[in-house]
Amino acid sequence: MSTPVLQKQYAEKVAPALKEKLGYTNPHQIPRLEKIVVTSCMGKAPDRKVAVDDAVSEIAKITGQKPSITYSKKAVANFKLREGEALGARVTLRGARMWEFLHRFINVTAPNIRDFRGISPKGFDGRGNYAVGLPDQSIFPEIELDQIKRTIGFDIIFVTTAKTNDEGRALLTELGLPFRDVKKAETTEGAAA
């Protein structure tokens, strides 16, 4: 099996660039992508059981890996939720599948988002990990539009070994994640108003 394109790019270009940019002396200090987690929750759907099955099949098509089902930990009467009831689906991508998914996300999926001007840079958690929410599955090329039964939203979490948000942002930017320029976006919105 050949090495994914982005993995080669990380080893040959991204890691040396980050080492120079962040001033590291040890190659083990350079931040790297650990895993990508794709999750979906069907908590509000009235037919939750069928909705979870739909989410499982959609995530499997998108990632190429069978997701695990997540269950509720406690009962909540207001949400008509019982303990141990299926709520959503989650898949963790590592290795070659992770790099292939990231490559498809950067080059095919993200540009398919309606009115795309870049993804928000505000999704960092303080420890270099980044999360982005997608409103529906129609932007993924693996999904056939006429086969969609319901709109399913996704969260994609990029888990890195970076210690700070700046390191994580530098890593993901070097890998090619299209972040929106916040200053540019603010001046454009101000001019339009």
Side-chain angles (χ1 to χ4, degrees), residues 8-169:
K8 278 184 193 168
Q9 183 181 329
Y10 174 79
E12 294 168 6
K13 295 178 183 167
V14 175
L18 286 173
K19 186 175 181 180
E20 187 178 311
K21 185 178 181 180
L22 301 171
Y24 290 131
T25 53
N26 188 333
H28 296 291
Q29 290 177 305
I30 300 169
R32 64 183 186 282
L33 196 60
E34 237 177 37
K35 61 186 175 181
I36 296 176
V37 182
V38 181
T39 64
S40 182
C41 183
M42 296 286 115
K44 292 183 179 178
D47 55 341
R48 204 174 288 129
K49 179 85 172 121
V50 179
V52 168
D53 291 341
D54 291 344
V56 166
S57 68
E58 300 289 304
I59 290 177
K61 285 179 195 170
I62 290 166
T63 61
Q65 186 171 316
K66 188 173 190 267
S68 60
I69 296 174
T70 54
Y71 298 94
S72 63
K73 292 181 180 163
K74 59 183 180 178
V76 180
N78 289 345
F79 300 125
K80 297 181 179 144
L81 182 67
R82 294 190 181 111
E83 186 177 342
E85 193 172 350
L87 269 184
R90 171 181 64 207
V91 69
T92 303
L93 302 170
R94 289 185 172 90
R97 276 204 180 121
M98 171 187 75
W99 290 108
E100 292 293 338
F101 178 81
L102 181 62
H103 184 73
R104 284 194 322 267
F105 180 77
I106 291 169
N107 297 311
V108 180
T109 306
N112 277 345
I113 297 171
R114 190 176 311 164
D115 299 331
F116 183 69
R117 291 188 191 99
I119 56 177
S120 173
K122 297 179 180 179
F124 286 92
D125 68 348
R127 290 187 222 102
N129 303 317
Y130 179 72
V132 62
L134 301 174
D136 66 3
Q137 74 271 36
S138 64
I139 60 172
F140 290 97
E142 297 87 0
I143 303 295
E144 295 175 32
L145 295 177
D146 55 342
Q147 300 290 325
I148 295 176
K149 296 177 191 167
R150 72 180 76 235
T151 302
I152 299 171
F154 296 99
D155 288 327
I156 301 174
I157 300 126
F158 301 93
V159 181
T160 67
T161 60
K163 301 276 188 271
T164 65
N165 285 349
D166 292 334
E167 289 178 3
R169 188 176 292 110

